[in-house]
Amino acid sequence: MIEGLNALAMNYFGSYLFFLLRDRFGFGNVGNLSVSALGGLVYVVAAWQGGRFAQRFGYFTALRIGFAGLVVCQTFGTLVPSLPAVLLAYTGSVAAVCFTWPAIEALISDGLNGQALPRNIGIFNVVWSATGSAIYFVGGTLYETLGHNSIFWLPAVIYAVLYLIALGLGENPVHAAAPAPSHDPEAAAFAQPVSPQAFLRMVWLAIPFSYIGIMTVIAVIPVLAKTLGLSTAQAGLFCSIWMFVRMGTFIVLWQWTGWHYRFRWLVGSFIGMTAGFSLLLLSTNLALLVAAQVVFGVSIGLIYYSSLFYSMDVGETKGEHGGLHEAMIGAGMCLGPAVGALSLYFIPSSPHAGAYAVTALLASGLAGLIRLRVRRVQGTGPPVPVGVTAPSGSTGTAAAVPDASSCSTPS
């Protein structure tokens, strides 16, 4: 319930803020992309610190602080309609929500082994993606019916309820402050030519690039919708297709685990994401826009699922890993819109300059992913750690499961 309401409130505010900036302050792609980049920059720092805070002081404490901050920021946005106030409410909300997601991710994964961890992560992904898709689908209608200010007051009400729920959770779980039980990655991790840590590093490289695509798309949809002659309500209905496809992908990946620790699935999703992104932003008709959203949604779904699963399956510090997973998301939230905005600012004569520049950026990420994989295969790792039996067919060169210090930062 906490996860679903959190996703519902933040998706309504975070997505339709760009329609508000377009309608109330006349923002175009450059302005919306710039605001999105600003939010991403805040998200990087706040998510990293939010994860560390949750690990040190407890997951329930982090939830209470995050929800309280969100109530304050959203209420401020409701009461003060000026542009500086809107931007302050936005950045404050971004910072506050970063105390909630790492804590929720850690709560659903800490201390779990075997099939329990993949099951919980699968449920988590389906819940937040389902509520996020649903609110984007009907959000345009809510925005037009309840008024522009509803992007502030409706989330404020939801976050007030969540804060009250968090107050009733009681004391922090013991394992939130104490060392977590020993956890080994699943057996499939040791049947590959690269170590579990290598997969973790690869997904920490991939996840920011996926959000480079996501945040660029969300920021330019208001102008894209106007170009295609769609109202705000129609844009919510039609441009949410990729979100529902992502949700469907989460359901499939939850039930079928054959993609775990398989590089071909990860690199295939990166290629699909790059192609889908390009088609989506350069679409001139609705049929092409639908096809692009399907490819984009499937690819984004697999990359996100991989990042969260490997972050929770490798290592012991779930709160910190959840924070780093979210920080990598923030890096993409900042970099993609920033590149798009700068391209449009310096090459205003080309309306597709931003799309071309971000596509080139995604292609560079693909090259980096392949290079990291090749480098890890060519290198040699230490033996499989004592107490972990490599499955038959394993190369026997998988690196030891990292401790908290070795996974505190991606490399």
Side-chain angles (χ1 to χ4, degrees), residues 158-377:
I158 294 173
Y159 283 125
V161 172
L162 286 172
Y163 176 69
L164 294 176
I165 293 174
L167 285 179
L169 291 176
E171 298 297 323
N172 285 295
V174 173
H175 62 259
S182 177
H183 169 79
D184 296 323
E186 63 178 43
F190 301 103
Q192 307 305 319
V194 295
S195 69
Q197 302 100 308
F199 276 97
L200 184 60
R201 293 186 180 103
M202 284 189 286
V203 294
W204 275 349
L205 171 66
I207 191 66
F209 282 94
S210 72
Y211 272 81
I212 283 174
I214 288 173
M215 294 309 296
T216 303
V217 166
I218 290 176
V220 303
I221 276 179
V223 174
L224 178 64
K226 190 175 182 180
T227 301
L228 295 173
L230 302 175
S231 67
T232 301
Q234 290 171 332
L237 298 175
F238 199 79
C239 296
S240 61
I241 293 173
W242 70 269
M243 295 184 177
F244 285 103
V245 172
R246 178 182 60 184
M247 180 188 68
T249 301
F250 284 161
I251 294 173
V252 172
L253 298 179
W254 171 28
Q255 299 299 319
W256 175 69
T257 60
W259 58 272
H260 287 186
Y261 296 99
R262 300 294 194 276
F263 177 72
R264 62 179 178 271
W265 287 99
L266 182 60
V267 72
S269 63
F270 209 113
I271 293 170
M273 173 190 66
T274 305
F277 171 85
S278 302
L279 288 174
L280 207 160
L281 262 63
L282 299 177
S283 297
T284 55
N285 63 74
L286 298 182
L288 188 60
L289 185 62
V290 170
Q293 288 190 75
V294 171
V295 175
F296 187 71
V298 170
S299 304
I300 288 297
L302 198 148
I303 291 174
Y304 180 90
Y305 207 127
S306 298
S307 178
L308 182 58
F309 175 72
Y310 297 143
S311 292
M312 297 296 110
D313 196 47
V314 179
E316 310 296 344
T317 52
K318 307 306 182 187
E320 288 189 17
H321 274 201
L324 285 168
H325 163 76
E326 295 294 333
M328 294 300 102
I329 287 175
M333 291 168 61
C334 176
L335 187 57
V339 169
L342 289 172
S343 300
L344 290 171
Y345 180 79
F346 287 109
I347 316 176
S349 59
S350 175
H352 298 307
Y356 296 143
V358 176
T359 299
L361 186 62
L362 294 178
S364 72
L366 176 62
L369 182 67
I370 294 173
R371 180 176 179 274
L372 182 59
R373 172 63 158 79
V374 171
R375 188 178 68 182
R376 293 293 170 181
V377 170

